[in-house]
Amino acid sequence: MGKLSKRNILWIVPIGILGVFWYFYGPQKDITDNEYITYVKNYSFENSSKTLESSFANACQNPYWVYFETQKGQDVVEYKGDCPVNNKTAKVNVQFLVDRDMTNVRNGAMLVDNKMQEEADRDKYILALVGENK
């Protein structure tokens, strides 16, 4: 084998650094089963006896629940599924923000076919889904 030249080192070091960054910050596997997801699935709003899981199961197809933590340390559970919106089936993503003590769930962002929805529209949709808005 030949000697390691400066030119070779200048290629190896950046590739090694990129490899380390990829390992720590690259794509991660989805977390689909933990206590935050279980808490949100079993959560019911004050005026409703229906859980979020049963509400989405009654209205939507292809449910997918995933947990992640934001860079600011906020715990988020996201529901993804094919749900009826304005009498059409659409891809819906709804995020629920959970406090560290798991005592409260707040509505987060909502996307319908990858388009961000207004807070009022999101709240109205979720209330109708859980049966509070009769």
Side-chain angles (χ1 to χ4, degrees), residues 14-28:
I15 290 173
I17 291 170
L18 285 173
V20 169
F21 275 102
W22 181 263
Y23 178 78
F24 286 108
Y25 300 108
Q28 306 292 322

Side-chain angles (χ1 to χ4, degrees), residues 67-114:
Y67 164 83
F68 62 92
E69 186 177 334
T70 66
Q71 290 179 342
K72 294 183 179 182
Q74 175 67 59
D75 297 300
V76 179
V77 174
E78 183 176 56
Y79 172 82
K80 299 177 184 181
D82 301 323
C83 303
V85 178
N86 298 328
N87 299 323
K88 287 195 253 180
T89 301
K91 297 237 181 262
V92 173
N93 294 19
V94 182
Q95 294 179 348
F96 298 98
L97 311 175
V98 183
D99 63 352
R100 286 272 178 207
D101 300 327
M102 284 195 276
T103 57
N104 192 22
V105 173
R106 293 180 297 138
N107 297 334
M110 178 175 168
L111 290 96
V112 174
D113 287 332
N114 296 321

